[in-house]
Amino acid sequence: MTLLGLNSDQLLSTTRAVRKRLDFTRPVPDELIRECVAMALQAPSGSNLVTMRFVVVQDEEKRRAIGDVYGRVYAKYKASPGYPGRSTGDAERDRIQGRVASSADYLGEHMGEAPVLVLGCNEGRDRASAVAGIGNVLPGTWSFMLAARARGLGTAWTSMHLVYEQEVAEILGIPYDTVAQAVLTPLAYTKGTDFRPAARPEPDQVIHWDTW
């Protein structure tokens, strides 16, 4: 597979949450998904025990069922105080957050239309150990997303479906008693590959040297 040719800093700074620019019309080859999972498996894993699992959903009926679940949760989020589309009185911030809200709204309405949905999960001996070890799948999921970006694919880190995690487990046959879901992402080719870094604070605004 031909990669985009991004250097490491470009890859890290331009792997964005892609929503409106996901191409729902192009199928994603299985081999590309395997390559992304292979990169995910190189991520850190506690005690060198690989407990991360990825559920790749291509079946249209199951994708739409998960999309319906996500849409129900998203409707509650949209009505909550934390919804980014709410006015703050700061015109510039409202302009930026309005774009974020519009993008999130789109995914809330169209999640199930992505050609692939991927669930990052952690498997344990029982429910408690699966949940306790959830940190084992988070680095791997980010590596999956970086690998996807390098291959011209888009992703969006979401977890609000966990409100109905057991319902999603039933749709996909995930053993709820031993497998904890962590992240749900669409996976699709992007419309164009020209993503830019997001506006973020300067490092010294978030660093605490030696003490808080």
Side-chain angles (χ1 to χ4, degrees):
M1 174 61 194
T2 302
L3 303 181
L4 294 181
L6 303 171
N7 65 39
S8 58
D9 280 2
Q10 289 171 327
L11 183 64
L12 288 165
S13 62
T14 65
T15 300
R16 309 254 56 86
V18 186
R19 302 178 183 99
K20 289 184 176 180
R21 289 178 60 184
L22 295 172
D23 188 345
F24 294 154
T25 68
R26 293 180 64 186
V28 178
D30 290 356
E31 191 54 38
L32 281 191
I33 300 171
R34 290 190 183 96
E35 289 178 10
C36 292
V37 171
M39 294 298 99
L41 288 166
Q42 294 298 317
S45 192
S47 299
N48 199 34
L49 296 175
V50 179
T51 58
M52 69 180 81
R53 303 290 184 263
F54 295 94
V55 182
V56 177
V57 188
Q58 298 170 312
D59 179 84
E60 181 177 0
E61 184 176 342
K62 292 179 179 179
R63 284 188 286 112
R64 292 196 178 278
I66 295 169
D68 288 344
V69 171
Y70 186 84
R72 296 203 318 265
V73 182
Y74 189 82
K76 294 180 179 180
Y77 168 66
K78 193 170 181 178
S80 75
Y83 176 64
R86 296 188 180 280
S87 175
T88 65
D90 181 329
E92 179 59 19
R93 178 167 177 77
D94 287 350
R95 182 187 68 80
I96 295 171
Q97 291 300 92
R99 291 176 58 189
V100 172
S102 175
S103 176
D105 289 350
Y106 181 83
L107 189 61
E109 297 168 4
H110 299 282
M111 175 70 88
E113 297 173 33
V116 182
L117 297 178
V118 179
L119 276 160
C121 306
N122 184 66
E123 186 171 16
R125 297 181 307 278
D126 49 32
R127 180 69 187 175
S129 64
V131 172
I134 207 76
N136 271 350
V137 72
L138 302 182
T141 302
W142 180 235
S143 291
F144 179 95
M145 292 176 166
L146 292 169
R149 162 68 171 143
R151 289 161 174 77
L153 301 170
T155 57
W157 187 292
T158 76
S159 59
M160 64 175 63
H161 81 284
L162 295 176
V163 173
Y164 297 123
E165 179 183 359
Q166 195 158 7
E167 185 175 341
V168 172
E170 290 170 1
I171 292 169
L172 298 173
I174 297 172
Y176 183 79
D177 289 344
T178 56
V179 177
Q181 300 167 43
V183 180
L184 167 66
T185 179
L187 181 69
Y189 280 102
T190 58
K191 299 175 182 177
T193 59
D194 55 329
F195 293 90
R196 295 178 295 177
R200 291 290 188 262
E202 291 298 319
D204 281 334
Q205 291 181 252
V206 300
I207 295 174
H208 300 271
W209 300 101
D210 293 327
T211 184
W212 190 272

